[in-house]
Amino acid sequence: MTPFLSYYPLYFFYLCAGSVLFSFHFLILLTTLCQKYNLSIDSFCYVLTDFAPKNLEYWRHHPNLQPYFNSGLLDIALFDVNSSSELDLQVSQRKIKPRSLMRPLVIVANYLFDSIPQELFYFENGNGFQVLVSLPKSAKLPANNEAVLPKTNIRHSYRLKEMAQPFYSEPYLQQIIDDYQQTISDAYILFPAVGLRCLQRMRALSSKGILLLTADKGSLLLEEVQ
């Protein structure tokens, strides 16, 4: 490790950290490992992110997190999966811009990508279709009453629309779609374009790339969705 790099911490970004229970136990373990192997705490910075300011306010004043804020190990930042391309760290007042990180960025995403918008496609014998979901015009949704919504009899319908070529302007997304179209003969696919764009923006923050640690719900093999 060069002296130059020692001034730059290894950043962990937890996307949409929620209750921070996972992060709290992670910080305990990280602190223990630093003590065991004689590593300086300021070699790392763990950043909790969310798009709701009230969540950041809650974390900032949580008593169990104060030692980590005070040591510089923990920071917070607003982050929108749909659009954020840089982060303003609210505790250290640092700004993370594209290619500003000198070490790889570690991204933690725990059940995030299955809870953000996705595209639905249908592929059949070399043909690809966008699946459009609609509600009938006569559907009456309850106003400002979430408790009534599950009891409401709402019928939805699906419509297949032939995909324009190319469907995506980004080559890395279109390459995946083209591969699906060539290899899948009869299946519906949920496609996380929003999540993949988010990872591309996060990847741009570091000149050394990213390590993604993620847990989600979904199928890993094409045979499972065929």
Side-chain angles (χ1 to χ4, degrees):
M1 182 184 300
T2 65
F4 176 74
L5 285 180
S6 65
Y7 289 102
Y8 295 87
L10 178 67
Y11 280 95
F12 295 81
F13 285 175
Y14 196 132
L15 305 185
C16 300
S19 70
V20 304
L21 183 61
F22 171 89
S23 298
F24 178 66
H25 288 287
F26 183 95
L27 292 170
I28 293 175
L29 179 59
L30 181 57
T31 303
T32 302
L33 291 174
C34 285
Q35 294 171 348
K36 180 178 179 180
Y37 294 103
N38 196 28
L39 295 173
S40 175
I41 284 292
D42 60 12
S43 298
F44 305 93
C45 184
Y46 192 95
V47 182
L48 301 171
T49 75
D50 203 286
F51 66 92
K54 66 178 182 179
N55 288 343
L56 273 66
E57 186 71 12
Y58 169 75
W59 302 335
R60 187 66 183 92
H61 295 93
H62 197 294
N64 290 340
L65 299 179
Q66 297 311 304
Y68 303 107
F69 284 124
N70 295 336
S71 68
L73 177 59
L74 183 61
D75 216 315
I76 56 177
L78 282 174
F79 180 82
D80 187 339
V81 172
N82 294 280
S83 59
S84 294
S85 58
E86 58 184 41
L87 287 89
D88 291 309
L89 307 188
Q90 296 189 7
V91 179
S92 64
Q93 299 297 308
R94 297 173 182 167
K95 180 182 284 289
I96 308 297
K97 296 181 178 181
R99 299 189 67 82
S100 64
L101 298 182
M102 306 303 294
R103 289 177 172 173
L105 171 63
V106 181
I107 299 174
V108 183
N110 192 31
Y111 292 102
L112 168 67
F113 297 116
D114 64 353
S115 61
I116 58 178
Q118 300 187 47
E119 298 278 1
L120 180 59
F121 297 113
Y122 175 67
F123 298 96
E124 181 183 34
N125 299 324
N127 298 312
F129 302 88
Q130 183 183 16
V131 182
L132 304 177
V133 184
S134 61
L135 299 175
K137 294 182 179 179
S138 59
K140 295 183 179 180
L141 300 179
N144 301 322
N145 193 339
E146 297 180 1
V148 179
L149 188 57
K151 303 176 183 179
T152 306
N153 185 19
I154 300 176
R155 297 182 180 274
H156 57 271
S157 62
Y158 295 91
R159 177 170 61 90
L160 299 182
K161 179 181 179 182
E162 190 170 356
M163 294 172 59
Q165 295 297 330
F167 187 82
Y168 290 111
S169 59
E170 302 96 330
Y172 68 94
L173 295 180
Q174 188 61 38
Q175 183 178 353
I176 301 174
I177 292 298
D178 291 341
D179 185 64
Y180 281 156
Q181 191 163 336
Q182 295 168 12
T183 57
I184 296 177
S185 58
D186 180 18
Y188 289 89
I189 294 289
L190 278 172
F191 190 69
V194 171
L196 292 172
R197 290 188 180 110
C198 170
L199 291 178
Q200 285 293 106
R201 296 194 305 274
M202 293 296 94
R203 183 182 181 184
L205 296 176
S206 173
S207 59
K208 302 297 183 180
I210 63 172
L211 169 65
L212 173 65
L213 304 175
T214 183
D216 252 308
K217 297 177 181 179
S219 301
L220 294 177
L221 304 176
L222 287 178
E223 291 81 0
E224 297 174 351
V225 299
Q226 185 69 33

